[in-house]
Short mmCIF file of all heavy atoms in Angstrom, two decimals:
data_model
loop_
_atom_site.label_atom_id
_atom_site.label_comp_id
_atom_site.label_asym_id
_atom_site.label_seq_id
_atom_site.Cartn_x
_atom_site.Cartn_y
_atom_site.Cartn_z
N MET A 24 97.13 125.07 31.41
CA MET A 24 98.41 124.37 31.52
C MET A 24 99.43 125.38 32.09
O MET A 24 99.58 126.50 31.62
CB MET A 24 98.86 123.95 30.12
CG MET A 24 100.21 123.28 30.11
SD MET A 24 100.57 122.46 28.57
CE MET A 24 101.20 123.81 27.59
N ASN A 25 100.10 125.01 33.16
CA ASN A 25 101.11 125.85 33.80
C ASN A 25 102.47 125.48 33.26
O ASN A 25 103.01 124.43 33.53
CB ASN A 25 101.05 125.68 35.34
CG ASN A 25 101.86 126.70 36.06
OD1 ASN A 25 102.28 127.71 35.44
ND2 ASN A 25 102.05 126.52 37.30
N THR A 26 103.04 126.39 32.46
CA THR A 26 104.34 126.15 31.84
C THR A 26 105.38 126.92 32.60
O THR A 26 105.05 127.71 33.51
CB THR A 26 104.28 126.65 30.40
OG1 THR A 26 104.14 128.07 30.42
CG2 THR A 26 103.22 126.00 29.57
N ALA A 27 106.65 126.72 32.27
CA ALA A 27 107.73 127.50 32.83
C ALA A 27 107.52 128.97 32.59
O ALA A 27 107.80 129.79 33.44
CB ALA A 27 109.04 127.03 32.24
N PHE A 28 106.95 129.30 31.41
CA PHE A 28 106.72 130.71 31.14
C PHE A 28 105.64 131.30 32.01
O PHE A 28 105.78 132.42 32.51
CB PHE A 28 106.31 130.91 29.68
CG PHE A 28 107.42 130.54 28.72
CD1 PHE A 28 107.20 129.51 27.76
CD2 PHE A 28 108.67 131.12 28.77
CE1 PHE A 28 108.21 129.15 26.90
CE2 PHE A 28 109.70 130.76 27.91
CZ PHE A 28 109.46 129.75 26.97
N GLN A 29 104.56 130.55 32.28
CA GLN A 29 103.53 131.08 33.21
C GLN A 29 104.09 131.19 34.60
O GLN A 29 103.79 132.14 35.34
CB GLN A 29 102.30 130.17 33.18
CG GLN A 29 101.18 130.70 34.10
CD GLN A 29 100.72 132.08 33.64
OE1 GLN A 29 100.32 132.30 32.54
NE2 GLN A 29 100.72 133.02 34.62
N SER A 30 104.91 130.23 34.99
CA SER A 30 105.55 130.33 36.31
C SER A 30 106.47 131.53 36.39
O SER A 30 106.55 132.19 37.43
CB SER A 30 106.32 129.05 36.61
OG SER A 30 105.45 127.93 36.72
N LEU A 31 107.18 131.82 35.34
CA LEU A 31 108.05 132.99 35.27
C LEU A 31 107.19 134.27 35.45
O LEU A 31 107.60 135.17 36.21
CB LEU A 31 108.81 133.07 33.95
CG LEU A 31 109.81 134.17 33.76
CD1 LEU A 31 110.99 134.05 34.75
CD2 LEU A 31 110.29 134.23 32.32
N VAL A 32 106.07 134.36 34.77
CA VAL A 32 105.15 135.49 34.89
C VAL A 32 104.66 135.60 36.32
O VAL A 32 104.64 136.71 36.90
CB VAL A 32 104.00 135.35 33.86
CG1 VAL A 32 102.86 136.34 34.19
CG2 VAL A 32 104.50 135.56 32.45
N ASP A 33 104.30 134.49 36.92
CA ASP A 33 103.87 134.48 38.31
C ASP A 33 105.00 135.00 39.22
O ASP A 33 104.72 135.75 40.13
CB ASP A 33 103.43 133.08 38.73
CG ASP A 33 102.17 132.61 38.03
OD1 ASP A 33 101.44 133.45 37.43
OD2 ASP A 33 101.95 131.35 38.02
N HIS A 34 106.21 134.62 38.95
CA HIS A 34 107.37 135.03 39.71
C HIS A 34 107.50 136.55 39.72
O HIS A 34 107.74 137.15 40.78
CB HIS A 34 108.64 134.36 39.16
CG HIS A 34 109.89 134.86 39.80
ND1 HIS A 34 110.41 134.31 40.95
CD2 HIS A 34 110.80 135.82 39.42
CE1 HIS A 34 111.52 134.91 41.26
NE2 HIS A 34 111.78 135.84 40.36
N PHE A 35 107.33 137.14 38.56
CA PHE A 35 107.49 138.59 38.44
C PHE A 35 106.21 139.37 38.78
O PHE A 35 106.27 140.58 38.93
CB PHE A 35 107.98 138.98 37.07
CG PHE A 35 109.43 138.72 36.83
CD1 PHE A 35 109.84 137.72 35.96
CD2 PHE A 35 110.39 139.47 37.49
CE1 PHE A 35 111.21 137.48 35.76
CE2 PHE A 35 111.76 139.23 37.30
CZ PHE A 35 112.16 138.23 36.40
N GLY A 36 105.08 138.66 38.88
CA GLY A 36 103.83 139.31 39.27
C GLY A 36 102.93 139.76 38.19
O GLY A 36 102.00 140.55 38.40
N GLY A 37 103.16 139.29 36.97
CA GLY A 37 102.28 139.62 35.85
C GLY A 37 103.08 139.76 34.55
O GLY A 37 104.30 139.81 34.56
N GLN A 38 102.34 139.73 33.45
CA GLN A 38 103.02 139.83 32.14
C GLN A 38 103.73 141.18 31.98
O GLN A 38 104.88 141.18 31.45
CB GLN A 38 102.02 139.59 30.98
CG GLN A 38 101.60 138.19 30.90
CD GLN A 38 100.80 137.92 29.64
OE1 GLN A 38 100.74 138.71 28.70
NE2 GLN A 38 100.16 136.76 29.56
N LEU A 39 103.13 142.26 32.35
CA LEU A 39 103.80 143.55 32.19
C LEU A 39 105.06 143.64 32.99
O LEU A 39 106.11 144.12 32.53
CB LEU A 39 102.82 144.68 32.54
CG LEU A 39 103.31 146.11 32.24
CD1 LEU A 39 103.67 146.24 30.76
CD2 LEU A 39 102.27 147.12 32.62
N GLN A 40 105.02 143.21 34.27
CA GLN A 40 106.17 143.22 35.11
C GLN A 40 107.29 142.34 34.58
O GLN A 40 108.47 142.67 34.63
CB GLN A 40 105.82 142.82 36.55
CG GLN A 40 104.89 143.74 37.21
CD GLN A 40 103.42 143.44 37.03
OE1 GLN A 40 103.01 142.83 36.02
NE2 GLN A 40 102.57 143.87 37.95
N THR A 41 106.89 141.20 34.01
CA THR A 41 107.89 140.30 33.39
C THR A 41 108.55 140.94 32.21
O THR A 41 109.78 140.92 32.07
CB THR A 41 107.19 138.95 33.02
OG1 THR A 41 106.54 138.38 34.15
CG2 THR A 41 108.17 137.99 32.39
N ALA A 42 107.73 141.56 31.38
CA ALA A 42 108.27 142.26 30.22
C ALA A 42 109.22 143.35 30.59
O ALA A 42 110.33 143.50 30.02
CB ALA A 42 107.10 142.84 29.38
N GLU A 43 108.85 144.12 31.60
CA GLU A 43 109.72 145.23 32.07
C GLU A 43 111.06 144.68 32.64
O GLU A 43 112.09 145.22 32.34
CB GLU A 43 109.02 146.07 33.08
CG GLU A 43 107.90 146.93 32.47
CD GLU A 43 107.05 147.64 33.48
OE1 GLU A 43 107.18 147.41 34.71
OE2 GLU A 43 106.18 148.44 33.05
N ALA A 44 110.94 143.61 33.43
CA ALA A 44 112.14 143.02 34.03
C ALA A 44 113.11 142.49 33.00
O ALA A 44 114.33 142.60 33.15
CB ALA A 44 111.76 141.96 35.05
N LEU A 45 112.54 141.91 31.93
CA LEU A 45 113.36 141.23 30.94
C LEU A 45 113.66 142.12 29.71
O LEU A 45 114.33 141.69 28.75
CB LEU A 45 112.70 139.92 30.48
CG LEU A 45 112.53 138.90 31.56
CD1 LEU A 45 111.79 137.68 31.05
CD2 LEU A 45 113.89 138.48 32.12
N ASN A 46 113.14 143.35 29.73
CA ASN A 46 113.39 144.31 28.66
C ASN A 46 112.84 143.86 27.33
O ASN A 46 113.54 143.90 26.31
CB ASN A 46 114.84 144.69 28.58
CG ASN A 46 115.07 145.96 27.84
OD1 ASN A 46 114.22 146.86 27.83
ND2 ASN A 46 116.22 146.11 27.20
N VAL A 47 111.63 143.31 27.37
CA VAL A 47 110.90 142.91 26.16
C VAL A 47 109.54 143.53 26.23
O VAL A 47 109.14 144.12 27.24
CB VAL A 47 110.80 141.35 26.03
CG1 VAL A 47 112.17 140.73 25.92
CG2 VAL A 47 110.03 140.77 27.19
N ASN A 48 108.74 143.41 25.14
CA ASN A 48 107.38 143.93 25.23
C ASN A 48 106.43 142.89 25.76
O ASN A 48 106.68 141.71 25.75
CB ASN A 48 106.92 144.53 23.84
CG ASN A 48 106.79 143.50 22.77
OD1 ASN A 48 106.14 142.44 22.97
ND2 ASN A 48 107.37 143.77 21.63
N GLN A 49 105.27 143.35 26.23
CA GLN A 49 104.29 142.47 26.85
C GLN A 49 103.77 141.45 25.88
O GLN A 49 103.46 140.30 26.23
CB GLN A 49 103.18 143.30 27.48
CG GLN A 49 102.11 142.52 28.19
CD GLN A 49 101.05 141.99 27.25
OE1 GLN A 49 100.65 142.64 26.27
NE2 GLN A 49 100.49 140.81 27.54
N GLY A 50 103.69 141.86 24.64
CA GLY A 50 103.23 140.90 23.61
C GLY A 50 104.13 139.65 23.47
O GLY A 50 103.65 138.53 23.25
N ALA A 51 105.41 139.86 23.64
CA ALA A 51 106.36 138.72 23.60
C ALA A 51 106.07 137.79 24.75
O ALA A 51 106.03 136.56 24.57
CB ALA A 51 107.81 139.22 23.64
N VAL A 52 105.84 138.34 25.94
CA VAL A 52 105.55 137.49 27.11
C VAL A 52 104.28 136.74 26.87
O VAL A 52 104.19 135.51 27.13
CB VAL A 52 105.47 138.38 28.36
CG1 VAL A 52 105.10 137.53 29.58
CG2 VAL A 52 106.76 139.10 28.62
N SER A 53 103.25 137.38 26.35
CA SER A 53 101.98 136.74 26.05
C SER A 53 102.20 135.58 25.08
O SER A 53 101.63 134.49 25.23
CB SER A 53 100.99 137.74 25.48
OG SER A 53 99.78 137.10 25.12
N ASN A 54 103.01 135.79 24.06
CA ASN A 54 103.28 134.73 23.06
C ASN A 54 104.00 133.55 23.69
O ASN A 54 103.73 132.41 23.33
CB ASN A 54 104.06 135.29 21.89
CG ASN A 54 103.24 136.11 20.99
OD1 ASN A 54 102.02 135.95 20.86
ND2 ASN A 54 103.88 137.09 20.29
N TRP A 55 104.91 133.79 24.65
CA TRP A 55 105.56 132.69 25.34
C TRP A 55 104.52 131.83 26.12
O TRP A 55 104.52 130.64 26.03
CB TRP A 55 106.60 133.17 26.32
CG TRP A 55 107.70 134.01 25.82
CD1 TRP A 55 108.17 134.05 24.55
CD2 TRP A 55 108.44 134.97 26.56
NE1 TRP A 55 109.17 135.00 24.43
CE2 TRP A 55 109.36 135.56 25.64
CE3 TRP A 55 108.42 135.41 27.86
CZ2 TRP A 55 110.26 136.56 26.06
CZ3 TRP A 55 109.36 136.36 28.28
CH2 TRP A 55 110.22 136.95 27.38
N VAL A 56 103.69 132.56 26.87
CA VAL A 56 102.71 131.88 27.73
C VAL A 56 101.76 131.07 26.89
O VAL A 56 101.38 129.95 27.23
CB VAL A 56 102.00 132.90 28.65
CG1 VAL A 56 100.84 132.28 29.36
CG2 VAL A 56 102.97 133.57 29.62
N ARG A 57 101.34 131.62 25.73
CA ARG A 57 100.38 130.92 24.89
C ARG A 57 101.02 129.87 23.99
O ARG A 57 100.35 129.19 23.26
CB ARG A 57 99.62 131.95 24.03
CG ARG A 57 98.67 132.85 24.89
CD ARG A 57 97.89 133.82 24.05
NE ARG A 57 98.72 134.73 23.31
CZ ARG A 57 98.56 135.07 22.04
NH1 ARG A 57 97.57 134.54 21.36
NH2 ARG A 57 99.35 135.92 21.44
N GLY A 58 102.36 129.81 24.02
CA GLY A 58 103.06 128.83 23.21
C GLY A 58 103.18 129.16 21.74
O GLY A 58 103.48 128.35 20.92
N LYS A 59 102.99 130.48 21.42
CA LYS A 59 103.06 130.90 20.05
C LYS A 59 104.50 131.03 19.57
O LYS A 59 104.79 130.80 18.41
CB LYS A 59 102.33 132.21 19.84
CG LYS A 59 100.90 132.11 20.25
CD LYS A 59 99.85 132.57 19.37
CE LYS A 59 99.94 132.98 18.02
NZ LYS A 59 98.88 132.63 17.10
N HIS A 60 105.38 131.44 20.49
CA HIS A 60 106.80 131.62 20.19
C HIS A 60 107.60 131.22 21.39
O HIS A 60 107.15 131.30 22.52
CB HIS A 60 107.14 133.12 19.86
CG HIS A 60 106.39 133.65 18.70
ND1 HIS A 60 106.65 133.28 17.40
CD2 HIS A 60 105.32 134.49 18.67
CE1 HIS A 60 105.79 133.94 16.59
NE2 HIS A 60 104.99 134.65 17.32
N GLY A 61 108.87 130.82 21.14
CA GLY A 61 109.75 130.53 22.20
C GLY A 61 110.57 131.77 22.62
O GLY A 61 110.47 132.81 21.98
N MET A 62 111.27 131.63 23.69
CA MET A 62 112.09 132.72 24.19
C MET A 62 113.47 132.68 23.52
O MET A 62 113.99 131.59 23.28
CB MET A 62 112.25 132.57 25.72
CG MET A 62 113.03 133.67 26.41
SD MET A 62 113.20 133.36 28.21
CE MET A 62 111.64 133.99 28.77
N SER A 63 114.02 133.84 23.23
CA SER A 63 115.35 133.89 22.64
C SER A 63 116.43 133.48 23.68
O SER A 63 116.21 133.61 24.87
CB SER A 63 115.67 135.29 22.16
OG SER A 63 115.93 136.16 23.21
N PRO A 64 117.54 133.01 23.20
CA PRO A 64 118.66 132.62 24.10
C PRO A 64 119.06 133.78 25.01
O PRO A 64 119.32 133.62 26.18
CB PRO A 64 119.76 132.17 23.19
CG PRO A 64 119.06 131.75 21.91
CD PRO A 64 117.87 132.67 21.77
N ALA A 65 119.16 134.98 24.41
CA ALA A 65 119.61 136.13 25.21
C ALA A 65 118.65 136.45 26.36
O ALA A 65 119.10 136.76 27.49
CB ALA A 65 119.80 137.37 24.32
N VAL A 66 117.36 136.42 26.08
CA VAL A 66 116.38 136.66 27.11
C VAL A 66 116.35 135.53 28.15
O VAL A 66 116.20 135.78 29.36
CB VAL A 66 115.00 136.92 26.50
CG1 VAL A 66 113.94 137.12 27.59
CG2 VAL A 66 115.01 138.13 25.58
N ALA A 67 116.54 134.31 27.73
CA ALA A 67 116.61 133.18 28.65
C ALA A 67 117.79 133.37 29.62
O ALA A 67 117.65 133.12 30.86
CB ALA A 67 116.72 131.88 27.90
N LEU A 68 118.92 133.81 29.11
CA LEU A 68 120.07 134.02 29.97
C LEU A 68 119.80 135.18 30.95
O LEU A 68 120.12 135.09 32.13
CB LEU A 68 121.31 134.34 29.17
CG LEU A 68 121.90 133.15 28.38
CD1 LEU A 68 122.92 133.67 27.39
CD2 LEU A 68 122.55 132.18 29.34
N ARG A 69 119.13 136.20 30.49
CA ARG A 69 118.77 137.36 31.32
C ARG A 69 117.81 136.91 32.43
O ARG A 69 117.96 137.28 33.61
CB ARG A 69 118.11 138.44 30.45
CG ARG A 69 117.99 139.75 31.12
CD ARG A 69 117.44 140.84 30.14
NE ARG A 69 118.16 140.85 28.88
CZ ARG A 69 117.56 140.96 27.67
NH1 ARG A 69 116.24 141.15 27.59
NH2 ARG A 69 118.26 140.95 26.59
N ALA A 70 116.81 136.10 32.05
CA ALA A 70 115.84 135.62 33.03
C ALA A 70 116.54 134.76 34.11
O ALA A 70 116.22 134.84 35.29
CB ALA A 70 114.75 134.80 32.34
N GLU A 71 117.43 133.89 33.65
CA GLU A 71 118.16 133.06 34.59
C GLU A 71 118.92 133.87 35.62
O GLU A 71 118.90 133.61 36.85
CB GLU A 71 119.09 132.09 33.86
CG GLU A 71 119.85 131.15 34.75
CD GLU A 71 120.73 130.21 34.00
OE1 GLU A 71 121.63 130.68 33.27
OE2 GLU A 71 120.54 128.98 34.10
N LYS A 72 119.59 134.90 35.12
CA LYS A 72 120.35 135.81 36.00
C LYS A 72 119.46 136.59 36.93
O LYS A 72 119.72 136.64 38.15
CB LYS A 72 121.22 136.74 35.16
CG LYS A 72 122.09 137.64 35.99
CD LYS A 72 123.00 138.49 35.15
CE LYS A 72 123.91 139.38 35.97
NZ LYS A 72 124.77 140.19 35.19
N LEU A 73 118.40 137.15 36.43
CA LEU A 73 117.50 137.97 37.25
C LEU A 73 116.76 137.16 38.31
O LEU A 73 116.42 137.67 39.37
CB LEU A 73 116.46 138.69 36.40
CG LEU A 73 117.00 139.87 35.58
CD1 LEU A 73 115.94 140.36 34.60
CD2 LEU A 73 117.46 141.00 36.45
N THR A 74 116.49 135.89 38.03
CA THR A 74 115.79 135.04 38.98
C THR A 74 116.79 134.21 39.84
O THR A 74 116.32 133.37 40.61
CB THR A 74 114.82 134.09 38.29
OG1 THR A 74 115.54 133.15 37.48
CG2 THR A 74 113.75 134.85 37.45
N GLU A 75 118.05 134.48 39.68
CA GLU A 75 119.11 133.81 40.42
C GLU A 75 118.99 132.29 40.25
O GLU A 75 119.16 131.56 41.24
CB GLU A 75 119.10 134.22 41.91
CG GLU A 75 119.38 135.71 42.11
CD GLU A 75 119.36 136.19 43.53
OE1 GLU A 75 118.95 135.42 44.43
OE2 GLU A 75 119.81 137.32 43.75
N GLY A 76 118.67 131.87 39.07
CA GLY A 76 118.60 130.48 38.74
C GLY A 76 117.34 129.74 39.05
O GLY A 76 117.20 128.56 38.82
N ALA A 77 116.31 130.48 39.55
CA ALA A 77 115.03 129.84 39.80
C ALA A 77 114.42 129.36 38.50
O ALA A 77 113.69 128.35 38.47
CB ALA A 77 114.09 130.83 40.52
N PHE A 78 114.72 130.06 37.41
CA PHE A 78 114.33 129.68 36.05
C PHE A 78 115.58 129.62 35.25
O PHE A 78 116.32 130.58 35.16
CB PHE A 78 113.33 130.68 35.46
CG PHE A 78 112.05 130.73 36.21
CD1 PHE A 78 111.90 131.59 37.30
CD2 PHE A 78 111.01 129.88 35.93
CE1 PHE A 78 110.75 131.63 38.04
CE2 PHE A 78 109.85 129.86 36.65
CZ PHE A 78 109.73 130.75 37.75
N THR A 79 115.87 128.48 34.70
CA THR A 79 117.16 128.29 33.96
C THR A 79 116.99 128.45 32.48
O THR A 79 115.91 128.30 31.91
CB THR A 79 117.74 126.88 34.21
OG1 THR A 79 116.90 125.92 33.63
CG2 THR A 79 117.89 126.63 35.73
N ARG A 80 118.10 128.74 31.84
CA ARG A 80 118.10 128.85 30.37
C ARG A 80 117.65 127.54 29.75
O ARG A 80 117.07 127.54 28.67
CB ARG A 80 119.50 129.23 29.89
CG ARG A 80 120.53 128.20 30.15
CD ARG A 80 121.93 128.65 29.95
NE ARG A 80 122.55 128.77 31.23
CZ ARG A 80 123.83 128.90 31.44
NH1 ARG A 80 124.65 128.98 30.43
NH2 ARG A 80 124.27 129.02 32.65
N TYR A 81 117.91 126.45 30.40
CA TYR A 81 117.53 125.12 29.87
C TYR A 81 116.00 124.96 29.83
O TYR A 81 115.46 124.35 28.93
CB TYR A 81 118.13 124.00 30.73
CG TYR A 81 119.65 124.26 30.92
CD1 TYR A 81 120.11 124.65 32.18
CD2 TYR A 81 120.56 124.15 29.87
CE1 TYR A 81 121.47 124.87 32.38
CE2 TYR A 81 121.88 124.37 30.08
CZ TYR A 81 122.30 124.80 31.33
OH TYR A 81 123.64 125.04 31.54
N GLN A 82 115.34 125.51 30.87
CA GLN A 82 113.86 125.48 30.91
C GLN A 82 113.24 126.44 29.90
O GLN A 82 112.23 126.07 29.29
CB GLN A 82 113.37 125.90 32.27
CG GLN A 82 113.67 124.98 33.41
CD GLN A 82 113.27 125.66 34.74
OE1 GLN A 82 113.87 126.67 35.13
NE2 GLN A 82 112.29 125.12 35.40
N LEU A 83 113.82 127.56 29.75
CA LEU A 83 113.18 128.65 29.01
C LEU A 83 113.55 128.62 27.50
O LEU A 83 112.81 129.21 26.71
CB LEU A 83 113.57 129.99 29.61
CG LEU A 83 113.16 130.17 31.07
CD1 LEU A 83 113.77 131.44 31.66
CD2 LEU A 83 111.63 130.17 31.21
N CYS A 84 114.63 128.01 27.14
CA CYS A 84 115.02 127.97 25.72
C CYS A 84 115.69 126.65 25.43
O CYS A 84 116.88 126.54 25.09
CB CYS A 84 115.99 129.11 25.47
SG CYS A 84 116.36 129.35 23.71
N PRO A 85 114.92 125.56 25.55
CA PRO A 85 115.47 124.20 25.40
C PRO A 85 115.97 123.93 23.97
O PRO A 85 116.79 122.99 23.78
CB PRO A 85 114.35 123.27 25.79
CG PRO A 85 113.11 124.06 25.58
CD PRO A 85 113.50 125.53 25.88
N SER A 86 115.48 124.66 22.98
CA SER A 86 115.96 124.37 21.60
C SER A 86 117.42 124.79 21.42
O SER A 86 118.08 124.23 20.57
CB SER A 86 115.07 125.14 20.60
OG SER A 86 115.21 126.53 20.81
N VAL A 87 117.94 125.69 22.24
CA VAL A 87 119.33 126.06 22.18
C VAL A 87 120.11 125.44 23.34
O VAL A 87 121.23 124.93 23.11
CB VAL A 87 119.47 127.63 22.22
CG1 VAL A 87 120.87 128.05 22.30
CG2 VAL A 87 118.79 128.22 21.01
N PHE A 88 119.59 125.52 24.54
CA PHE A 88 120.28 125.02 25.72
C PHE A 88 119.66 123.66 26.09
O PHE A 88 118.81 123.58 27.00
CB PHE A 88 120.15 126.00 26.89
CG PHE A 88 120.61 127.39 26.55
CD1 PHE A 88 119.73 128.45 26.39
CD2 PHE A 88 121.97 127.62 26.41
CE1 PHE A 88 120.22 129.74 26.13
CE2 PHE A 88 122.44 128.91 26.16
CZ PHE A 88 121.54 129.96 25.98
N GLU A 89 120.02 122.60 25.37
CA GLU A 89 119.37 121.33 25.54
C GLU A 89 119.66 120.65 26.88
O GLU A 89 118.77 120.14 27.52
CB GLU A 89 119.75 120.40 24.39
CG GLU A 89 119.19 120.89 23.08
CD GLU A 89 119.50 119.95 21.93
OE1 GLU A 89 119.86 118.81 22.19
OE2 GLU A 89 119.41 120.44 20.80
N THR A 90 120.87 120.61 27.27
CA THR A 90 121.26 119.90 28.51
C THR A 90 122.31 120.69 29.27
O THR A 90 123.27 121.13 28.64
CB THR A 90 121.85 118.52 28.15
OG1 THR A 90 120.99 117.84 27.22
CG2 THR A 90 122.00 117.62 29.40
N PRO A 91 122.13 120.82 30.54
CA PRO A 91 123.20 121.53 31.31
C PRO A 91 124.50 120.79 31.29
O PRO A 91 124.51 119.55 31.31
CB PRO A 91 122.60 121.62 32.70
CG PRO A 91 121.54 120.65 32.80
CD PRO A 91 121.07 120.34 31.40
N PRO A 92 125.60 121.52 31.20
CA PRO A 92 126.89 120.86 31.29
C PRO A 92 127.00 120.09 32.58
O PRO A 92 126.42 120.48 33.59
CB PRO A 92 127.89 122.04 31.25
CG PRO A 92 127.15 123.16 30.64
CD PRO A 92 125.69 122.97 31.02
N GLN A 93 127.75 119.00 32.56
CA GLN A 93 127.86 118.15 33.73
C GLN A 93 128.26 118.86 35.01
O GLN A 93 127.79 118.57 36.05
CB GLN A 93 128.81 116.97 33.44
CG GLN A 93 128.67 115.79 34.38
CD GLN A 93 127.26 115.13 34.35
OE1 GLN A 93 126.53 115.27 33.37
NE2 GLN A 93 126.89 114.50 35.40
N ASP A 94 129.15 119.86 34.88
CA ASP A 94 129.64 120.57 36.07
C ASP A 94 128.60 121.51 36.67
O ASP A 94 128.75 122.01 37.76
CB ASP A 94 130.92 121.35 35.76
CG ASP A 94 130.76 122.43 34.71
OD1 ASP A 94 129.77 122.38 33.97
OD2 ASP A 94 131.61 123.28 34.60
N GLU A 95 127.44 121.72 35.92
CA GLU A 95 126.37 122.54 36.45
C GLU A 95 125.23 121.74 37.04
O GLU A 95 124.31 122.28 37.62
CB GLU A 95 125.82 123.46 35.36
CG GLU A 95 126.75 124.53 34.93
CD GLU A 95 126.11 125.49 33.94
OE1 GLU A 95 124.86 125.69 34.00
OE2 GLU A 95 126.83 126.02 33.11
N VAL A 96 125.29 120.45 36.94
CA VAL A 96 124.22 119.59 37.46
C VAL A 96 124.49 119.35 38.92
O VAL A 96 125.59 118.92 39.31
CB VAL A 96 124.19 118.23 36.70
CG1 VAL A 96 123.14 117.31 37.30
CG2 VAL A 96 123.89 118.48 35.22
N ALA A 97 123.48 119.61 39.75
CA ALA A 97 123.59 119.36 41.20
C ALA A 97 123.71 117.89 41.47
O ALA A 97 123.06 117.04 40.85
CB ALA A 97 122.40 119.94 41.94
N SER A 98 124.56 117.53 42.44
CA SER A 98 124.68 116.11 42.77
C SER A 98 123.83 115.71 43.90
O SER A 98 123.21 116.44 44.57
CB SER A 98 126.11 115.74 43.08
OG SER A 98 126.91 116.79 43.49
#
């Protein structure tokens, strides 16, 4: 199953590179990909910024960022 987390890992070129870019350990990245744990809001915001919005906080942490504000939705 290709999730947003696996796509994020692909974007950075691997779990270790993703962990280094987001300043987390590789085990955390593995847990996201395997669905064991979700991503924290702070890391989701960091990922959104580092990927210039290719991966949004809404995709990566939907339990906190449920819906984008109306002024952020593309028309």
Side-chain angles (χ1 to χ4, degrees):
M24 178 168 85
N25 192 12
T26 65
F28 297 120
Q29 183 59 54
S30 295
L31 182 68
V32 167
D33 294 342
H34 174 85
F35 284 110
Q38 288 190 11
L39 186 58
Q40 294 89 335
T41 303
E43 289 172 352
L45 297 176
N46 198 29
V47 297
N48 66 50
Q49 182 274 327
V52 177
S53 176
N54 285 333
W55 303 334
V56 171
R57 293 183 298 135
K59 302 230 9 142
H60 301 286
M62 183 182 277
S63 75
V66 176
L68 288 168
R69 193 175 313 138
E71 182 178 59
K72 183 176 181 179
L73 287 172
T74 65
E75 297 179 349
F78 296 89
T79 67
R80 66 191 109 167
Y81 311 107
Q82 293 171 293
L83 300 171
C84 190
S86 63
V87 173
F88 304 109
E89 293 182 18
T90 311
Q93 198 60 23
D94 61 343
E95 290 186 30
V96 176
S98 24

